Amino acid sequence: MFESILDCSAKAIAELKLLRLDSSKCDDAPPPTGVDDKRRVRKILSSGGNGDSAKPNRQQRKRSRLASDSVTLETPVPHYDGHQWRKYGQKLINNANHPRSYYKCTYKQEQDCGATKTVQQYQQDGGTDDPAMYTVVYFGQHTCKPAGNNTDAAVVKTESTSRSSGGGAGKLSPSDSQCSNISVTCTSVVVDHHQRTASIASNCELLDMAADLENTEVNTYDQIYEEAGFSPFDLDTDWAIDAHGHDLLKYGW
DNA sequence: TTTATTTGACCCAT
DNA sequence: ATGGGTCAAATAAA
């Protein structure tokens, strides 16, 4: 297990290092913020209304989704990220063994929060010692405020196949061995310095973190946690995507 | 009754 | 034409 932890940590660091090389091409690409008015448009359409207004909206949205920056997490526990999500779709994807699930922020309606994510299992669950791994891709930013003083991370009941934490508390300790499998990638590294605060962990900072970790004798997840001070998987931390969807932000403990 | 999930259809980008 | 993202009616769960 120890070796496995080491191996996975090394892999994560290697990936982050690769991304660090790409980080030099940080350029500005302000993603349009698509307004989700589709439901109403659909209603109008289905009631025989003029459908011309539908096209720009949908186009705008789809384009924004495809062109938008994203943050990708690879994790065995895709549903514990500090936010509440509502599943709105599932699709079988070509050349994938498992369907992809689509989630939007639970507070989309009330707070017009535009954050979405997709979850897809990419590793066959080979046994009890080999937890299924999921690729989680986050789009957009959370503009919603977390409801209540919910210190526990949001627990999202989703796929029945979810095997995470088997009914245990929705909280992982940093020493949880599963956490050693986490890696973080991003499709675009653009840092808006005006958006940053002291508590922000941007992609670049994550990459720096990886570099620092590489120069340190890090043998356990506990040490990684200690070195970094936090992790993208810290459930006591609230995470968000920055205003332009470029960075993974930490906005609270 | 309310809220969340499932799932087939629809639509857009490639 | 096809793949993938989203909608929304039907269904399930609380």
Side-chain angles (χ1 to χ4, degrees), chain A residues 93-114:
Chain A
I93 303 302
N94 262 11
N95 302 320
N97 294 331
H98 304 280
R100 177 177 300 167
S101 297
Y102 299 86
Y103 298 87
K104 61 179 82 172
C105 179
T106 297
Y107 304 109
K108 180 175 179 58
Q109 304 277 353
E110 317 155 30
Q111 302 187 33
D112 198 29
C113 180

Side-chain angles (χ1 to χ4, degrees), chain A residues 126-159:
Chain A
T128 51
D129 292 338
D130 189 15
M133 288 296 287
Y134 300 85
T135 300
V136 186
V137 185
Y138 295 89
F139 299 92
Q141 63 157 340
H142 277 281
T143 56
C144 60
K145 296 188 181 78
N149 59 339
N150 194 6
T151 54
D152 286 333
V155 177
V156 182
K157 289 183 297 178
T158 51
E159 297 132 73

Side-chain angles (χ1 to χ4, degrees), chain A residues 37-49:
Chain A
D37 216 7
K38 192 168 168 185
R39 182 172 299 177
R40 194 172 38 185
V41 170
R42 273 279 190 117
K43 286 253 156 89
I44 293 170
L45 276 176
S46 63
S47 62

Side-chain angles (χ1 to χ4, degrees), chain A residues 19 39 48 84 86 109 111 122 126 130 132 148-149 152 164 184 187-188 198 211 215 222 230 236 247 250:
Chain A
L19 284 163
R39 182 172 299 177
Q84 287 183 280
R86 180 169 184 166
Q109 304 277 353
Q111 302 187 33
Y122 71 88
D130 189 15
N149 59 339
D152 286 333
S164 55
V184 184
T187 58
S188 171
N215 297 327
D222 276 334
F230 56 83
D236 285 331
D247 294 322
K250 182 169 68 112

Side-chain angles (χ1 to χ4, degrees), chain A residues 56-217:
Chain A
N57 249 336
R58 190 182 258 278
Q59 276 180 339
Q60 212 174 17
R61 172 126 63 106
K62 194 129 191 177
R63 211 177 293 136
S64 80
R65 165 86 156 165
L66 291 173
S68 73
D69 301 304
S70 61
V71 174
T72 302
L73 268 177
E74 294 177 1
T75 171
V77 281
H79 305 307
Y80 295 87
D81 56 15
H83 288 283
Q84 287 183 280
W85 301 93
R86 180 169 184 166
K87 188 173 181 175
Y88 68 88
Q90 179 172 302
K91 287 280 285 190
L92 285 170
I93 303 302
N94 262 11
N95 302 320
N97 294 331
H98 304 280
R100 177 177 300 167
S101 297
Y102 299 86
Y103 298 87
K104 61 179 82 172
C105 179
T106 297
Y107 304 109
K108 180 175 179 58
Q109 304 277 353
E110 317 155 30
Q111 302 187 33
D112 198 29
C113 180
T116 64
K117 75 170 182 180
T118 65
V119 174
Q120 185 169 12
Q121 184 176 342
Y122 71 88
Q123 180 177 307
Q124 186 71 35
D125 188 357
T128 51
D129 292 338
D130 189 15
M133 288 296 287
Y134 300 85
T135 300
V136 186
V137 185
Y138 295 89
F139 299 92
Q141 63 157 340
H142 277 281
T143 56
C144 60
K145 296 188 181 78
N149 59 339
N150 194 6
T151 54
D152 286 333
V155 177
V156 182
K157 289 183 297 178
T158 51
E159 297 132 73
S160 57
T161 57
S162 173
R163 52 191 305 283
S164 55
S165 297
K171 193 178 173 79
L172 290 167
S173 81
S175 57
D176 189 313
S177 63
Q178 283 189 319
C179 292
S180 63
N181 287 332
I182 297 161
S183 67
V184 184
T185 62
C186 56
T187 58
S188 171
V189 183
V190 183
V191 180
D192 180 352
H193 294 279
H194 300 294
Q195 293 289 332
R196 304 179 73 174
T197 70
S199 64
I200 286 175
S202 71
N203 287 323
C204 292
E205 284 168 344
L206 285 170
L207 297 175
D208 286 339
M209 189 174 103
D212 290 342
L213 289 172
E214 199 197 22
N215 297 327
T216 312
E217 280 294 320

